[in-house]
Amino acid sequence: AMKTGSTTLLLVFVTMAARLGCGLRLSAPRFASLRAAPRRVAVAMSSTAERPSANGLGLEVRLVAEQPELVKVHLAARGASEEVLASVDEMATLYDRRKELITRGDAAREIRKRLSGQIGKLMKEGKTEEAEELKKQVEAANADADVCDKEQSEVDEKCGDSFTALPNLLDDSTPTGSGEEENEVVSEWGTDQRKVGEDGVYKWHDEIAVELNGWKADEAAMLSGARFSVLAGPVAKLERALTQFFLDSLGKKVRGV
């Protein structure tokens, strides 16, 4: 299935497919490639007994730290590299260290607060030496709290960098496999309608858009990197027209027209 940065772009290809007599291909959002054999219309829905269920859990740092094995199994099913799998264990270690730093920092701040109140009382009583001794303890507590805050900030940054590189957990209906050929086909539609030309060649939506000189994949990669698109010519006009149509339709619905 094609991943794009715009829902409207998908609507563009839907409209183009309809105009040119092509069908659409639907599959589980598991694989990153735009095309893979065999080329057929499929909806992939398969339970996987060998993979533990995510039970609808969303990916978050706490889940990675507390259930790293669950996360690693799902990442392995997505074909994650050893480096990515190792980052899960590192995140769990960083998360534990973060909790230690928070506890230690809070304890230091509690000491500072408690002793600061005692210092004022001792000064009023003229117990200067005792007050000076407590001041030293307060300074030490301040220094310890600052060290904890600094290290916690570094830990948060490292953990955040690793976390943003992790993909989501797999839905229970998504099969484990190395490619789309391992999907379980549960229904097909529009297969024959995807044939284009006299020879009946199967073509994907990106191929049709390129032939219409409307999709500039290379330019998009240079401008914004992967998974972005640049539209031109009639395809760009069609996108703007569809966008305006849906905005007008939504506006009428909101106004109750």
Side-chain angles (χ1 to χ4, degrees):
M2 181 178 297
K3 288 188 177 181
T4 68
S6 169
T7 302
T8 305
L9 180 58
L10 179 58
L11 295 172
V12 170
F13 291 143
V14 170
T15 304
M16 290 167 54
R19 284 189 172 186
L20 297 175
C22 301
L24 279 177
R25 175 177 175 278
L26 301 177
S27 62
R30 156 82 165 73
F31 307 105
S33 60
L34 293 177
R35 300 184 296 276
R39 294 185 173 186
R40 59 185 178 182
V41 181
V43 179
M45 297 180 64
S46 173
S47 59
T48 51
E50 70 277 9
R51 188 178 70 231
S53 172
N55 292 319
L57 294 173
L59 189 66
E60 57 182 1
V61 175
R62 182 174 180 179
L63 176 67
V64 175
E66 295 181 351
Q67 301 187 53
E69 295 306 319
L70 170 66
V71 175
K72 286 194 290 185
V73 168
H74 279 253
L75 293 180
R78 298 183 71 115
S81 65
E82 291 296 327
E83 182 180 359
V84 173
L85 295 177
S87 71
V88 173
D89 292 326
E90 182 183 6
M91 286 181 62
T93 302
L94 290 172
Y95 185 78
D96 289 339
R97 179 57 179 165
R98 182 180 187 275
K99 291 193 295 185
E100 293 173 0
L101 291 170
I102 291 175
T103 301
R104 176 178 155 189
D106 288 344
R109 282 181 282 271
E110 192 279 330
I111 292 174
R112 179 183 62 190
K113 180 179 179 181
R114 175 169 49 82
L115 295 184
S116 295
Q118 295 179 21
I119 291 173
K121 182 179 179 181
L122 290 172
M123 292 296 289
K124 289 180 180 180
E125 296 174 354
K127 299 178 181 179
T128 307
E129 292 184 3
E130 295 182 23
E132 290 300 324
E133 181 61 31
L134 291 184
K135 286 182 180 179
K136 293 179 181 180
Q137 295 182 37
V138 169
E139 291 176 1
N142 275 332
D144 194 27
D146 290 340
V147 168
C148 290
D149 290 341
K150 182 180 179 181
E151 185 177 349
Q152 183 185 337
S153 178
E154 295 172 353
V155 167
D156 286 342
E157 183 176 359
K158 290 180 181 179
C159 199
D161 290 343
S162 298
F163 181 75
T164 55
L166 298 181
N168 286 324
L169 302 181
L170 293 172
D171 185 80
D172 292 343
S173 64
T174 305
T176 299
S178 58
E180 292 190 6
E181 63 277 2
E182 298 184 40
N183 283 348
E184 176 188 353
V185 179
V186 295
S187 67
E188 294 187 1
W189 60 276
T191 303
D192 292 337
Q193 295 178 7
R194 285 185 45 244
K195 293 181 179 180
V196 177
E198 296 180 357
D199 296 332
V201 179
Y202 286 104
K203 290 191 176 182
W204 294 104
H205 312 108
D206 56 315
E207 294 174 324
I208 297 172
V210 169
E211 291 180 2
L212 292 174
N213 196 31
W215 186 28
K216 308 291 186 179
D218 293 337
E219 288 84 344
M222 289 190 299
L223 290 172
S224 305
R227 299 187 180 182
F228 286 85
S229 62
V230 170
L231 303 183
V235 178
K237 292 180 180 179
L238 179 58
E239 182 192 37
R240 288 194 294 271
L242 284 170
T243 301
Q244 191 59 52
F245 170 76
F246 284 112
L247 287 175
D248 291 343
S249 299
L250 181 60
K252 291 179 180 179
K253 183 177 181 180
V254 172
R255 295 192 301 270
V257 177

